[in-house]
Amino acid sequence: MRLDLAHESAGVDRPFVTSACNAAAVERLASWPDALTPVLALVGPKGSGKSRLAADWAERVGAVPVHGAEASLLDPLEVEGRAILLDRAPDADDETLFHLINLARSGGGALLLVARSAPSSWETALPDLRSRLDAVPTVTIETPDDAVLAEMLEAEFARRSIAPPPDLIPWLLKRIERSSGAAEAAVARLDAEPGAVTRAAARRIFGPLGPGDRD
């Protein structure tokens, strides 16, 4: 069985918000791949937006996007000399990772590895793969700051065709975890409530920050 490469676009609809938490990664990917770095790792915590940034990069350069274990289905003859985006990279088996890194290093191609931790921390039983993973340069996305988390909330509201009042998103920023999953869950809870989506409704769901919280 081979991976179907007919739908290779990782396209997305809304702009990626650049802020202090991700500026270094955005800048690095804007000028990558380059001749000196055929393999790069994009690392960040769950829900930080790393997969979204990687998808933007893949669309821009025409990379083949694959996820985790499905990388073993790639035909080396079809992807030789091409850019490859491997999300959930630690889920790929050792042999596949080894061959993909070698393929990128052989010239003309590129490999972007996306994960929550740097390749140097991944477990492997292959000594040759160990040395290759240890040598992979890494760029990091930090936990979403207010600007990025606000954009995540806005996107979730828009996806559900909800126009939140201007004071709701700043209020939510103080009360939810800083991840895309938390933003999605918060908007889903508000959407499930009867009536209009307001800050008063949000306060009934999420409660105040503390005894002195009157906002």
Side-chain angles (χ1 to χ4, degrees):
M1 179 179 179
R2 283 171 31 194
L3 186 66
D4 181 8
L5 302 182
H7 303 287
E8 295 176 1
S9 175
V12 289
D13 295 327
R14 67 187 191 276
F16 184 87
V17 173
T18 302
S19 189
C21 64
N22 58 32
V26 170
E27 181 179 1
R28 183 68 185 94
L29 288 183
S31 60
W32 188 80
D34 56 57
L36 298 178
T37 313
V39 183
L40 182 69
L42 176 61
V43 174
K46 180 180 179 181
S48 60
K50 59 186 179 297
S51 292
R52 167 61 201 283
L53 178 58
D56 279 359
W57 170 83
E59 183 176 46
R60 177 175 61 82
V61 304
V64 177
V66 289
H67 296 79
E70 74 179 22
S72 63
L73 302 177
L74 286 172
D75 183 343
L77 293 178
E78 290 190 21
V79 297
E80 185 176 4
R82 299 187 61 179
I84 299 172
L85 161 60
L86 178 53
D87 205 347
R88 302 198 305 269
D91 292 342
D93 66 84
D94 285 1
E95 292 289 345
T96 297
L97 273 175
F98 180 77
H99 290 306
L100 287 179
I101 292 174
N102 285 347
L103 194 65
R105 285 179 164 185
S106 66
L111 176 64
L112 180 62
L113 304 169
V114 181
R116 296 182 190 176
S117 60
S120 58
S121 69
W122 303 352
E123 294 185 3
T124 177
L126 294 178
D128 288 342
L129 177 58
R130 173 77 279 147
S131 62
R132 283 161 174 75
L133 291 176
D134 289 344
V136 173
T138 299
V139 63
T140 302
I141 288 185
E142 305 295 341
T143 300
D145 57 18
D146 280 359
V148 172
L149 188 59
E151 189 273 341
M152 291 176 175
L153 287 165
E154 289 170 3
E156 284 302 317
F157 280 121
R159 189 172 66 84
R160 294 171 177 268
S161 300
I162 298 172
D167 60 352
L168 179 55
I169 288 179
W171 190 92
L172 288 171
L173 291 177
K174 302 175 183 177
R175 289 161 175 82
I176 67 172
E177 293 181 2
R178 294 185 171 270
S179 72
S180 59
E184 181 178 355
V187 175
R189 289 182 66 185
L190 286 165
D191 192 22
E193 288 292 303
V197 173
T198 63
R199 197 175 75 176
R203 199 170 192 274
R204 289 195 301 270
I205 296 171
F206 298 101
L209 287 175
D213 179 20
R214 301 297 181 189
D215 63 349

